């Protein structure tokens, strides 16, 4: 968890200049050991495990009335340098945390019948 303003400003640079990183009071930097464990489905377990953990953190934050933004657009090595994260640790996700200053309308969603297939992929 990063609260220090100077550090968050450095994270803005590491995240392609995304300014809201410097504005939100907290950035959660989700770290994982880089396990070689690949599930029988062919996916690395650590990225899935971490994404599940982050998703639940975001759901809980939302429940508590906080706003978040999941970040994937950042240079992992720069983030690791800024935060002195060891080489063997990966950073699959980060998210900002704070009280939102706006409450935009939900974005349009596709209808379920456009994204759900029954029985076979089609
Ligand atoms: C894997 C992933 C990476 C993302 N990276 C960024 C990011 O770096 N910057 C950003 O502003 N939004 C990013 N987003 C999008 C926001 O977090 C977005 O607000 C959130 O996914 C909700 O989108 P929705 O309104 O379409 O549901 C990312 C989303 C995902 C799923």
């Amino acid at each position: 968890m990063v609260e220090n303003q100077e550090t968050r400003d450095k994270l803005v640079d590491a995240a392609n200049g995304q300014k809201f990183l410097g504005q939100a009071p907290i950035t959660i930097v989700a770290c994982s050991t880089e396990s070689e464990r690949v599930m029988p489905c062919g996916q690395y377990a650590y990225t899935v495990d971490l994404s599940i953990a982050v998703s639940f953190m975001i759901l809980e934050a939302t429940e508590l009335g906080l706003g978040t933004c999941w970040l994937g657009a950042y240079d992992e090595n720069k983030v690791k340098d800024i935060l002195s994260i060891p080489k063997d640790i990966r950073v699959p996700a980060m998210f900002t945390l704070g009280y939102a200053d706006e409450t935009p309308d939900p974005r349009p969603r596709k209808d379920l019948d456009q994204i759900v297939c029954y029985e076979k992929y089609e």
Side-chain angles (χ1 to χ4, degrees), residues 18 20 69-73 107 109:
Q18 298 189 83
F20 63 89
C69 183
W70 188 303
L71 281 136
R107 299 204 302 175
R109 299 293 176 195

